[in-house]
Short mmCIF file of all heavy atoms in Angstrom, two decimals:
data_model
loop_
_atom_site.label_atom_id
_atom_site.label_comp_id
_atom_site.label_asym_id
_atom_site.label_seq_id
_atom_site.Cartn_x
_atom_site.Cartn_y
_atom_site.Cartn_z
N TRP A 692 -6.48 18.71 25.81
CA TRP A 692 -5.19 19.39 25.83
C TRP A 692 -5.03 20.11 27.17
O TRP A 692 -3.98 20.02 27.83
CB TRP A 692 -5.12 20.39 24.68
CG TRP A 692 -3.78 21.03 24.46
CD1 TRP A 692 -2.83 20.67 23.56
CD2 TRP A 692 -3.23 22.15 25.19
NE1 TRP A 692 -1.72 21.49 23.67
CE2 TRP A 692 -1.94 22.41 24.67
CE3 TRP A 692 -3.70 22.96 26.22
CZ2 TRP A 692 -1.12 23.44 25.15
CZ3 TRP A 692 -2.87 23.98 26.71
CH2 TRP A 692 -1.61 24.21 26.18
N ASN A 693 -6.06 20.85 27.59
CA ASN A 693 -6.00 21.60 28.85
C ASN A 693 -5.80 20.66 30.05
O ASN A 693 -4.99 20.94 30.94
CB ASN A 693 -7.29 22.41 29.04
CG ASN A 693 -7.35 23.62 28.11
OD1 ASN A 693 -6.33 24.27 27.86
ND2 ASN A 693 -8.53 23.91 27.60
N LYS A 694 -6.50 19.53 30.04
CA LYS A 694 -6.35 18.57 31.14
C LYS A 694 -4.93 18.00 31.18
O LYS A 694 -4.34 17.83 32.25
CB LYS A 694 -7.37 17.45 30.98
CG LYS A 694 -8.81 17.90 31.19
CD LYS A 694 -9.78 16.76 30.91
CE LYS A 694 -11.23 17.21 31.03
NZ LYS A 694 -12.18 16.11 30.67
N ASN A 695 -4.39 17.70 30.00
CA ASN A 695 -3.05 17.14 29.98
C ASN A 695 -1.98 18.15 30.35
O ASN A 695 -0.95 17.80 30.93
CB ASN A 695 -2.75 16.55 28.59
CG ASN A 695 -3.04 15.07 28.52
OD1 ASN A 695 -2.60 14.31 29.37
ND2 ASN A 695 -3.80 14.65 27.52
N MET A 696 -2.21 19.43 30.05
CA MET A 696 -1.25 20.45 30.47
C MET A 696 -1.24 20.58 32.00
O MET A 696 -0.16 20.72 32.61
CB MET A 696 -1.59 21.79 29.82
CG MET A 696 -0.63 22.92 30.21
SD MET A 696 1.11 22.58 29.84
CE MET A 696 1.15 22.90 28.06
N ILE A 697 -2.40 20.50 32.60
CA ILE A 697 -2.47 20.55 34.07
C ILE A 697 -1.70 19.36 34.65
O ILE A 697 -0.90 19.51 35.60
CB ILE A 697 -3.93 20.55 34.54
CG1 ILE A 697 -4.62 21.87 34.15
CG2 ILE A 697 -4.01 20.34 36.05
CD1 ILE A 697 -6.13 21.87 34.37
N ARG A 698 -1.92 18.17 34.11
CA ARG A 698 -1.23 16.98 34.61
C ARG A 698 0.28 17.08 34.39
O ARG A 698 1.07 16.69 35.24
CB ARG A 698 -1.77 15.73 33.92
CG ARG A 698 -3.18 15.35 34.29
CD ARG A 698 -3.52 13.95 33.81
NE ARG A 698 -2.70 12.95 34.50
CZ ARG A 698 -2.79 11.64 34.24
NH1 ARG A 698 -3.60 11.19 33.31
NH2 ARG A 698 -2.02 10.79 34.91
N LEU A 699 0.65 17.60 33.22
CA LEU A 699 2.08 17.73 32.90
C LEU A 699 2.78 18.61 33.94
O LEU A 699 3.87 18.26 34.43
CB LEU A 699 2.24 18.34 31.50
CG LEU A 699 3.68 18.54 31.01
CD1 LEU A 699 4.32 17.20 30.69
CD2 LEU A 699 3.70 19.45 29.78
N LYS A 700 2.17 19.73 34.27
CA LYS A 700 2.80 20.66 35.20
C LYS A 700 2.77 20.16 36.64
O LYS A 700 3.69 20.45 37.43
CB LYS A 700 2.12 22.03 35.11
CG LYS A 700 2.39 22.75 33.79
CD LYS A 700 1.70 24.11 33.74
CE LYS A 700 2.07 24.87 32.47
NZ LYS A 700 1.39 26.20 32.39
N SER A 701 1.73 19.41 37.00
CA SER A 701 1.59 18.97 38.39
C SER A 701 2.27 17.64 38.67
O SER A 701 2.65 17.36 39.82
CB SER A 701 0.11 18.87 38.77
OG SER A 701 -0.54 17.88 37.98
N GLU A 702 2.46 16.81 37.65
CA GLU A 702 2.95 15.45 37.88
C GLU A 702 4.35 15.21 37.31
O GLU A 702 4.88 14.09 37.42
CB GLU A 702 1.98 14.42 37.28
CG GLU A 702 0.59 14.47 37.89
CD GLU A 702 -0.36 13.47 37.24
OE1 GLU A 702 0.13 12.54 36.58
OE2 GLU A 702 -1.58 13.63 37.39
N SER A 703 4.96 16.20 36.67
CA SER A 703 6.29 15.99 36.09
C SER A 703 7.12 17.25 36.18
O SER A 703 6.62 18.33 36.50
CB SER A 703 6.15 15.56 34.62
OG SER A 703 5.88 16.67 33.78
N GLY A 704 8.38 17.10 35.89
CA GLY A 704 9.28 18.24 35.87
C GLY A 704 9.63 18.68 34.47
O GLY A 704 10.67 19.33 34.25
N VAL A 705 8.79 18.34 33.50
CA VAL A 705 9.05 18.71 32.11
C VAL A 705 9.02 20.23 31.96
O VAL A 705 8.07 20.90 32.41
CB VAL A 705 8.01 18.08 31.16
CG1 VAL A 705 8.18 18.60 29.73
CG2 VAL A 705 8.14 16.57 31.18
N GLY A 706 10.04 20.79 31.34
CA GLY A 706 10.05 22.22 31.08
C GLY A 706 9.08 22.56 29.97
O GLY A 706 9.03 21.88 28.95
N VAL A 707 8.27 23.60 30.18
CA VAL A 707 7.26 24.00 29.21
C VAL A 707 7.64 25.37 28.64
O VAL A 707 7.83 26.34 29.39
CB VAL A 707 5.86 24.07 29.85
CG1 VAL A 707 4.83 24.55 28.82
CG2 VAL A 707 5.46 22.70 30.40
N ASN A 708 7.74 25.42 27.31
CA ASN A 708 8.11 26.66 26.63
C ASN A 708 6.98 27.07 25.69
O ASN A 708 6.43 26.23 24.96
CB ASN A 708 9.39 26.46 25.83
CG ASN A 708 10.57 26.11 26.72
OD1 ASN A 708 11.23 26.98 27.24
ND2 ASN A 708 10.81 24.80 26.89
N ASN A 709 6.67 28.35 25.69
CA ASN A 709 5.59 28.89 24.89
C ASN A 709 6.19 29.56 23.64
O ASN A 709 6.80 30.62 23.75
CB ASN A 709 4.79 29.89 25.71
CG ASN A 709 3.49 30.29 25.05
OD1 ASN A 709 2.93 29.51 24.27
ND2 ASN A 709 3.02 31.49 25.33
N LEU A 710 6.02 28.93 22.47
CA LEU A 710 6.57 29.48 21.23
C LEU A 710 5.57 30.44 20.61
O LEU A 710 4.50 30.04 20.17
CB LEU A 710 6.88 28.36 20.23
CG LEU A 710 8.05 27.43 20.52
CD1 LEU A 710 8.20 26.43 19.38
CD2 LEU A 710 9.34 28.21 20.70
N ILE A 711 5.91 31.72 20.58
CA ILE A 711 5.05 32.68 19.90
C ILE A 711 5.73 33.30 18.69
O ILE A 711 5.11 33.99 17.89
CB ILE A 711 4.58 33.79 20.87
CG1 ILE A 711 5.77 34.51 21.49
CG2 ILE A 711 3.66 33.21 21.93
CD1 ILE A 711 5.38 35.69 22.37
N THR A 712 7.04 33.03 18.54
CA THR A 712 7.77 33.43 17.33
C THR A 712 8.73 32.30 16.97
O THR A 712 9.15 31.52 17.83
CB THR A 712 8.60 34.72 17.55
OG1 THR A 712 9.72 34.44 18.40
CG2 THR A 712 7.75 35.83 18.13
#
Side-chain angles (χ1 to χ4, degrees):
W692 188 98
N693 287 322
K694 292 176 183 176
N695 265 310
M696 180 57 78
I697 292 171
R698 291 193 65 182
L699 180 72
K700 291 180 176 179
S701 63
E702 299 178 18
S703 78
V705 173
V707 178
N708 298 274
N709 191 27
L710 289 182
I711 57 175
T712 71

